[in-house]
Amino acid sequence: MQKETVMEKPSMALVPSSRGFAKTIGMVFFYAILIVLALFQILPLVWLLFFSLKNNQEVFNTPLLSLPSPPRWENYVKVWVEGNIGQYFFNSVWITTVSVVLTVLLASFATFAITRMNWKWKHVVLGLFMVGLMIPIHSTLIPLFSFFMKMNLIDHPLSIVLTNIGFNLPITIMILLGFYQSFPRELEESAVMDGCSVHRMFFRIILPMTAPVIVTTTIINMIYNWNEFVFVNTFISSDEFKTLTVGIQNFIGQYTTDWGAIGATLMISVLPILIVFFFLSDKIMEGITAGAIKG
Amino acid sequence: MLRKAHSLVVVLMMVISLALVGCSNSTNGNGSSSDSGEKVTITFMHLWTPGSSKQHNMIINNIIKEFEEKNPNITVKQETLENEQYKNKLKVLAASNELPDVGMTWAAGFLEPYVKGNLFAPLDDVLDSGLKEKFVSGTTEAYAIDGKTYALPVELNITPVYYNKELFSQHGLEAPKTYEEFKHVVETLAKNGVAPIALGNKDRWTGSLWYMYLADRIGGAETLKNAINGSGTFEDPSLVKAAEEVQNLVEMNAFIKGFNGLSNDEAKAEFTNEKAAMYLMGTWDLPQFTTNEDIPKEFRDKVGFFKFPVVDGSKGDVDSWVGGPGVGLFVSENSKVKKEAKEFVKFFVEKWGEMSVTQAGVIPATKVDTSNMDLPQMYIDVLDELNKATNITLFADVQMNPEAAQTHLNLIQSLFGGEISPKDFAKQHQEVLSQTK
Amino acid sequence: MNKMMSDKKVIALYVLPPLLLLMILVYIPIVMTGYYSLMKWDGIGSMQFIALDNYKQLLQDNMFWKSTYHSFLLALFSVISLAGYLVIALVLAGKIKGANLLRKIYLIPMLLSSVAIAQLWLRIYHPSNGMLNKFLMSLGVDDPPNWLADPKIALYAIFVPIIWQYAGFYILIYYAALKNIPSSIIEAAVIDGANPWQIAYKIKLPLIAGVIKVTIVLAVVGSLKYFDLIYVMTGGGPNGASEVIASYMYQKAFRSFNFGYGSTIAFSLLLICMLMTWLIRKLTNSKEEIQY
């Protein structure tokens, strides 16, 4: 099957014009709901921004969505200077990137083999991966810590990358699974007839066709890894390897908490993901699909 | 044709090299063996983060600097975590026998499992070198098990009832001395639309303070203590009556709306925003009401404190406090640099005691000589009270073993929520305490 | 062709690396958890083998069953909410203007860490200053509920942010699945005279059935395992009114220093999840995956 560039026929399936007025009202109502929902989803961002600009007093005293006057941009300065956010930011970025790429890649390999190739144990292996979904993270802390201790990987970012991959493989595979299963077998048959090897078939045909779900799982992994907290807290001690999520702790004291600073840290921490998500996800998608067409 | 595979390989290479770059930065931070003259590193894990406990953190850094200057072959490496995460990590480290050389611990019930597991080194030798007399009596005892002391406290706190003097005088009220007067204060405030007491019982230990004082005033200091350590019983009538009183207060609307779901911070905010008139809390909050510039001076000037009122006709004594030492420093029994670690602890405690009040507003567990210090009046008053104190009862959830402590805290929440009868409250305490000896 | 697709070397190459990682990083802890669950252990000192005693205690532990019930309730609500997300995704995937932007906006709450979401909702639910209660009071309600303090409603109150947090996640997945359906099929249906509802119900849904099944499993397992917001917002309180399995486990393992029993709870959670997954697969099994 070739991916045709389909012409976007305007709303053919939706609006036969004969219905007229009622339909228009329906559409308006419809859009209104969608927009209200959207506003509700943006609320947290707006709130977070305002939150990060308040000091401890204002955080509790003022209404949810009020802009403090004056806005306390010094929270951001404090966080960058005293909170060592720069270092944490860098760590978050590279750990997340490495983890996400490896996870999505390895998961694709595994899912491809499970869904498209013939072998006896595929259901067992799939089951094994799925069970990996079901363990609550806190109970794995002590065994994993011992393990990494023995491997001399404590206080080493590789421990985080590995656990990120290990614990996100199941969910990534599960999502990929649903998509892989719906591809027609004819694809492979025609590829084989053209003289394709398995590897080439995977890389040149299947992988590009899964572009949408790859973007999806990349985004999901990115979010999970970026916000990953428990493992970093347990396995990492040195400041030079900490990530943003743990950096927040700098502002939680034994008896008092600096909420404005926490807000600033959270804001700084959500911006990169926002940017990648909003602007880059389309580009990634184009890149992968373009690769398919050229072949 | 090979292009796609090729570019994929390139991406993979980049990814792997990124990982390797990260790898090459790794350091290995364990202490080396302790021959004098050789470079020694002491790992020190604590709760006082630079972001939120700035003054504490500064003092620590100064002390470390001084120590390192005096001992050029020793380096102290810090790791800071916030409270909850600190406790979790300490546990994980303990399970793998990888505790830091020096760390912080809480007293009594918290300390017990670690001591039972032979993870903390006894510090009596440090105390015997002249340090013991410097501590306020009763503080190091909280860290002793079977006669050996396992940590040296660096904080001492008592819990007064802070109150908003202006709100009081606006309603013709004065700081109550007896419980009857206190109830009158509560009624008057409630009637006039002012929340009498700020309480955030989501964290549960805050409500426990109220219960403990009532137990102390109604039954005397020994009753509660004996109930917890097993020589008495929790079903003692005075302890049941204390539970009843708690529920009476709730009925009187003494606490802010929705208190059972509010965090301590949220409650404190109600007090600071003058929506509530009283706040029972520890002296660790003194900076909030005296020196903290983030809080409007106008408010800070309005805050005073009074001792928990006495209940007429009962055994309690107004100079008996709930409180106790806060965190203490331990030395890991399996530390490879035990000698140096102990020296560091000794040095720290001494230096800390000199600076903590004036620079961080923290009352140390060592005796404080206020004569030469320039302190806000409330501090001086508190320190005077400390000298007069007849008894300091350690927080219930610290005294008890961890399992019983959790049950206690949950029962407190039920009690305040009106979901359990005082008799049942006492009974379940007795059960869990006797089961978890 | 079959020979090529059964090439053991290729299969090994593709499957072993991820499988190995999984076995080491995830299965070792699972096995260890099972091992610890047979011990009396405070997590620090020495362990004492007590075989199935912990499990016997578990069966009689009211709090455990209460938490399990709560977790299942959450799972139920999550699955029900999936229907809503499906509808939204169907709408977005139809050729609506601005679908792309809307989809991205809907995902925003998922980008935030649990800490941020918790803080936001704590402020919405605050009994006197919170957005919700202030709104209710302005409508004339005198004594609006104490959302997180009242044991009768705390559980349901906290379900709202949890479910809301994942809305974008499921919408994203459904949207991607729907977009994957070749438009030639949709066009063929339109030409045949099908209206939008028929297209959605008879054509689109069956074609993404595989994905829907996956999301059901994810929603159920994710709910049973859920921890974050419960821990930060209510701590399982008041007195266990909003306790779920994972938060109960955490409390036993890390606060009560009863790591052996905590491991028992964790392992039981694993078993429950496995059971549920098997059940779901059995109930939603179709013999052929529909292909186009």
Side-chain angles (χ1 to χ4, degrees):
Chain A
M1 185 199 101
Q2 277 68 47
K3 255 268 177 346
E4 318 151 335
T5 39
V6 179
M7 274 219 316
E8 299 275 299
K9 298 213 182 75
S11 308
M12 216 175 105
L14 281 176
V15 189
S17 52
S18 45
R19 295 294 177 88
F21 191 61
K23 203 69 183 184
T24 321
I25 290 285
M27 293 296 285
V28 169
F29 190 56
F30 202 49
Y31 267 101
I33 298 186
L34 285 179
I35 293 184
V36 165
L37 281 178
L39 285 178
F40 201 55
Q41 304 289 84
I42 296 198
L43 172 77
L45 259 191
V46 174
W47 165 78
L48 188 60
L49 181 62
F50 291 167
F51 184 73
S52 66
L53 295 172
K54 300 183 181 174
N55 70 15
N56 260 0
Q57 274 303 89
E58 294 162 339
V59 153
F60 287 106
N61 212 4
T62 57
L64 204 68
L65 287 177
S66 61
L67 190 58
S69 56
R72 297 180 192 277
W73 295 103
E74 61 263 23
N75 281 343
Y76 283 89
V77 176
K78 180 194 325 190
V79 147
W80 200 271
V81 169
E82 287 177 31
N84 204 5
I85 293 295
Q87 177 75 36
Y88 303 153
F89 194 87
F90 172 71
N91 289 336
S92 280
V93 168
W94 82 259
I95 290 181
T96 300
T97 310
V98 173
S99 307
V100 171
V101 171
L102 287 177
T103 308
V104 174
L105 220 51
L106 289 175
S108 296
F109 285 156
T111 315
F112 174 70
I114 291 176
T115 53
R116 317 308 279 186
M117 308 211 62
N118 304 326
W119 42 301
K120 237 194 317 180
W121 301 103
K122 55 158 111 179
H123 291 293
V124 173
V125 168
L126 181 60
L128 283 177
F129 277 111
M130 282 181 43
V131 171
L133 258 184
M134 304 177 192
I135 189 86
I137 293 194
H138 283 97
S139 67
T140 63
L141 285 179
I142 291 190
L144 277 178
F145 188 85
S146 280
F147 170 70
F148 283 128
M149 207 66 225
K150 296 198 175 70
M151 305 289 292
N152 238 349
L153 282 177
I154 282 297
D155 209 17
H156 190 298
L158 196 58
S159 61
I160 304 297
V161 171
L162 289 176
T163 48
N164 277 345
I165 301 178
F167 282 85
N168 284 328
L169 270 177
I171 195 175
T172 311
I173 289 180
M174 288 212 58
I175 297 178
L176 290 175
L177 197 68
F179 286 75
Y180 270 74
Q181 280 169 341
S182 55
F183 286 142
R185 290 268 163 190
E186 293 86 59
L187 255 185
E188 285 145 17
E189 284 161 10
S190 55
V192 171
M193 286 200 284
D194 283 347
C196 225
S197 74
V198 182
H199 301 297
R200 199 172 292 159
M201 172 163 55
F202 177 65
F203 283 105
R204 297 249 39 145
I205 301 179
I206 303 285
L207 210 48
M209 271 187 54
T210 55
V213 71
I214 291 221
V215 173
T216 308
T217 47
T218 302
I219 293 175
I220 290 175
N221 269 293
M222 191 174 63
I223 297 174
Y224 280 167
N225 291 336
W226 185 263
N227 288 330
E228 166 51 46
F229 168 74
V230 182
F231 288 128
V232 182
N233 189 66
T234 312
F235 301 149
I236 304 285
S237 320
S238 314
D239 236 27
E240 62 185 296
F241 298 127
K242 282 189 182 167
T243 59
L244 276 177
T245 47
V246 171
I248 291 188
Q249 284 187 60
N250 264 337
F251 301 105
I252 303 179
Q254 196 184 3
Y255 300 117
T256 58
T257 306
D258 188 346
W259 293 107
I262 291 186
T265 312
L266 287 173
M267 198 67 207
I268 292 181
S269 134
V270 90
L271 281 177
I273 304 209
L274 260 182
I275 294 177
V276 171
F277 176 57
F278 261 78
F279 298 118
L280 299 187
S281 59
D282 290 333
K283 294 261 187 316
I284 300 176
M285 173 87 110
E286 282 167 34
I288 301 181
T289 27
I293 298 182
K294 286 208 189 83
Chain B
M1 201 85 99
L2 286 174
R3 229 181 305 145
K4 190 67 200 284
H6 182 73
S7 42
L8 200 59
V9 169
V10 169
V11 167
L12 263 174
M13 297 273 294
M14 274 174 38
V15 159
I16 293 182
S17 51
L18 255 182
L20 284 175
V21 163
C23 288
S24 66
N25 280 334
S26 94
T27 48
N28 220 334
N30 276 333
S32 38
S33 62
S34 56
D35 283 333
S36 63
E38 252 186 45
K39 284 246 162 281
V40 161
T41 309
I42 300 181
T43 48
F44 177 28
M45 194 165 106
H46 64 88
L47 307 169
W48 293 335
T49 57
S52 194
S53 313
K54 204 165 29 175
Q55 289 90 356
H56 299 61
N57 198 276
M58 268 191 333
I59 300 182
I60 292 192
N61 285 325
N62 289 338
I63 296 183
I64 290 184
K65 208 160 62 154
E66 222 185 295
F67 183 75
E68 286 177 342
E69 274 166 23
K70 291 213 166 91
N71 300 279
N73 62 324
I74 305 187
T75 322
V76 178
K77 186 165 168 228
Q78 294 181 62
E79 181 185 349
T80 57
L81 291 165
E82 69 89 21
N83 210 323
E84 255 330 291
Q85 304 313 322
Y86 176 90
K87 290 185 185 155
N88 287 349
K89 185 148 185 186
L90 197 67
K91 255 196 80 118
V92 175
L93 292 177
S96 301
N97 220 341
E98 287 293 329
L99 286 174
D101 301 308
V102 177
M104 291 187 166
T105 174
W106 288 262
F110 183 89
L111 191 64
E112 222 181 281
Y114 292 92
V115 171
K116 268 205 232 155
N118 278 329
L119 292 169
F120 289 169
L123 296 176
D124 300 284
D125 46 349
V126 178
L127 279 179
D128 288 336
S129 64
L131 205 46
K132 182 121 181 67
E133 292 68 46
K134 300 206 180 142
F135 280 102
V136 172
S137 86
T139 49
T140 49
E141 282 75 346
Y143 294 86
I145 297 190
D146 287 340
K148 299 209 203 134
T149 315
Y150 290 95
L152 301 182
V154 289
E155 297 176 299
L156 179 55
N157 289 293
I158 48 178
T159 51
V161 181
Y162 297 104
Y163 73 110
N164 188 321
K165 291 185 280 198
E166 191 183 86
L167 277 178
F168 264 52
S169 63
Q170 272 173 3
H171 295 91
L173 297 168
E174 276 181 8
K177 295 221 177 40
T178 70
Y179 193 64
E180 285 305 308
E181 288 170 18
F182 176 73
K183 283 208 275 203
H184 171 71
V185 167
V186 169
E187 274 166 6
T188 316
L189 289 170
K191 224 182 343 183
N192 285 295
V194 176
I197 301 171
L199 173 65
N201 206 20
K202 183 164 78 168
D203 306 322
R204 305 165 296 165
W205 56 271
T206 43
S208 174
L209 293 179
W210 283 93
Y211 175 72
M212 285 193 68
Y213 265 121
L214 286 168
D216 176 282
R217 297 298 191 250
I218 297 179
E222 293 304 306
T223 316
L224 185 58
K225 200 177 349 187
N226 290 339
I228 294 180
N229 69 27
S231 59
T233 168
F234 221 98
E235 295 183 89
D236 183 299
S238 55
L239 296 181
V240 176
K241 181 129 191 339
E244 277 171 25
E245 269 313 310
V246 165
Q247 295 194 321
N248 286 343
L249 282 176
V250 174
E251 295 280 311
M252 287 166 70
N253 284 328
F255 304 109
I256 48 180
K257 182 168 158 59
F259 65 88
N260 231 4
L262 288 176
S263 69
N264 184 34
D265 265 359
E266 289 172 305
K268 187 161 36 182
E270 299 284 297
F271 180 64
T272 318
N273 296 331
E274 307 199 59
K275 302 228 179 63
M278 296 184 270
Y279 179 54
L280 171 60
M281 197 35 66
T283 45
W284 53 73
D285 261 352
L286 274 176
Q288 289 275 87
F289 309 126
T290 51
T291 50
N292 189 343
E293 295 293 323
D294 275 342
I295 308 219
K297 183 162 192 324
E298 220 185 17
F299 171 70
R300 285 183 275 137
D301 288 338
K302 295 184 201 173
V303 177
F305 74 84
F306 58 83
K307 297 183 272 205
F308 200 91
V310 273
V311 173
D312 287 328
S314 294
K315 308 187 216 145
D317 158 15
V318 79
D319 285 313
S320 166
W321 295 84
V322 170
V327 291
L329 293 181
F330 71 80
V331 170
S332 162
E333 172 71 15
N334 297 316
S335 162
K336 297 190 180 76
V337 294
K338 238 188 329 197
K339 180 160 91 66
E340 287 80 352
K342 286 187 184 178
E343 277 169 27
F344 177 65
V345 167
K346 176 162 189 281
F347 186 77
F348 188 92
V349 171
E350 284 170 341
K351 291 285 164 197
W352 171 258
E354 291 164 20
M355 302 192 256
S356 68
V357 187
T358 43
Q359 290 185 28
V362 172
I363 303 176
T366 43
K367 301 188 187 132
V368 177
D369 176 11
T370 52
S371 45
N372 300 332
M373 294 186 180
D374 179 25
L375 292 170
Q377 187 58 38
M378 245 206 283
Y379 269 96
I380 303 191
D381 294 339
V382 164
L383 287 167
D384 281 344
E385 294 292 350
L386 206 46
N387 288 333
K388 281 195 295 185
T390 51
N391 163 68
I392 302 183
T393 311
L394 192 55
F395 309 104
D397 62 323
V398 179
Q399 274 188 62
M400 300 180 187
N401 67 69
E403 176 84 47
Q406 283 307 309
T407 310
H408 164 73
L409 292 173
N410 286 334
L411 287 173
I412 286 281
Q413 203 167 37
S414 298
L415 184 69
F416 274 80
E419 284 171 63
I420 192 178
S421 74
K423 267 210 163 65
D424 223 3
F425 174 82
K427 185 153 103 85
Q428 290 195 33
H429 269 96
Q430 187 54 28
E431 271 169 16
V432 77
L433 281 168
S434 44
Q435 277 168 9
T436 52
K437 267 284 123 261
Chain C
M1 150 122 177
N2 263 339
K3 198 137 175 237
M4 191 169 78
M5 297 306 264
S6 319
D7 185 348
K8 294 257 180 344
K9 268 188 275 181
V10 176
I11 294 175
L13 184 66
Y14 276 48
V15 169
L16 279 183
L19 191 60
L20 225 50
L21 260 175
L22 186 81
M23 297 310 282
I24 297 178
L25 291 169
V26 177
Y27 274 81
I28 290 188
I30 291 183
V31 169
M32 292 309 289
T33 302
Y35 174 64
Y36 295 145
S37 71
L38 301 171
M39 303 286 168
K40 182 174 154 74
W41 190 38
D42 59 6
I44 296 178
S46 54
M47 296 191 226
Q48 195 192 341
F49 181 69
I50 54 170
L52 294 175
D53 279 358
N54 277 335
Y55 287 94
K56 288 197 202 123
Q57 187 185 346
L58 190 76
L59 289 174
Q60 299 170 339
D61 185 349
N62 278 333
M63 195 62 232
F64 173 70
W65 293 111
K66 194 164 159 193
S67 333
T68 307
Y69 171 63
H70 293 161
S71 294
F72 271 94
L73 266 183
L74 180 60
L76 181 65
F77 284 124
S78 298
V79 172
I80 293 176
S81 66
L82 285 181
Y85 303 146
L86 199 48
V87 168
I88 296 180
L90 278 169
V91 165
L92 290 182
K95 299 175 173 65
I96 302 272
K97 265 197 243 197
N100 213 18
L101 183 64
L102 275 178
R103 169 185 58 102
K104 290 179 181 170
I105 293 183
Y106 284 156
L107 194 58
I108 288 182
M110 245 233 117
L111 301 177
L112 296 171
S113 67
S114 295
V115 177
I117 299 201
Q119 288 307 313
L120 171 65
W121 280 90
L122 279 174
R123 298 204 195 313
I124 294 180
Y125 278 144
H126 193 282
S128 30
N129 300 339
M131 217 169 88
L132 188 54
N133 278 2
K134 271 200 169 153
F135 177 65
L136 287 175
M137 286 196 277
S138 72
L139 290 182
V141 177
D142 264 336
D143 191 20
N146 298 322
W147 299 102
L148 297 178
D150 185 341
K152 297 190 217 45
I153 57 181
L155 185 67
Y156 301 101
I158 209 174
F159 280 173
V160 174
I162 296 176
I163 293 183
W164 172 78
Q165 188 182 15
Y166 285 94
F169 175 77
Y170 292 111
I171 294 179
L172 184 67
I173 295 181
Y174 289 145
Y175 180 82
L178 288 169
K179 271 297 188 207
N180 222 23
I181 301 176
S183 29
S184 46
I185 296 191
I186 309 292
E187 282 163 17
V190 171
I191 292 177
D192 281 348
N195 66 42
W197 309 115
Q198 286 170 324
I199 294 182
Y201 190 60
K202 293 228 167 95
I203 299 182
K204 290 189 178 177
L205 285 191
L207 284 176
I208 61 170
V211 173
I212 296 184
K213 257 200 320 188
V214 166
T215 54
I216 294 181
V217 172
L218 286 179
V220 170
V221 172
S223 303
L224 290 174
K225 203 171 77 158
Y226 193 76
F227 176 78
D228 287 6
L229 285 185
I230 302 267
Y231 173 66
V232 181
M233 288 179 71
T234 61
N239 196 25
S242 63
E243 193 89 87
V244 291
I245 304 181
S247 59
Y248 187 52
M249 179 217 89
Y250 179 85
Q251 199 212 67
K252 282 292 171 191
F254 285 90
R255 300 245 184 93
S256 293
F257 277 63
N258 196 346
F259 207 80
Y261 191 62
S263 300
T264 313
I265 299 176
F267 202 75
S268 305
L269 176 59
L270 180 71
L271 294 174
I272 293 178
C273 285
M274 284 172 66
L275 181 66
M276 289 310 294
T277 307
W278 177 79
L279 256 176
I280 294 176
R281 303 217 109 192
K282 208 117 178 87
L283 288 176
T284 60
N285 209 13
S286 45
K287 304 226 175 54
E288 276 284 315
E289 291 299 334
I290 300 179
Q291 293 180 340
Y292 41 80

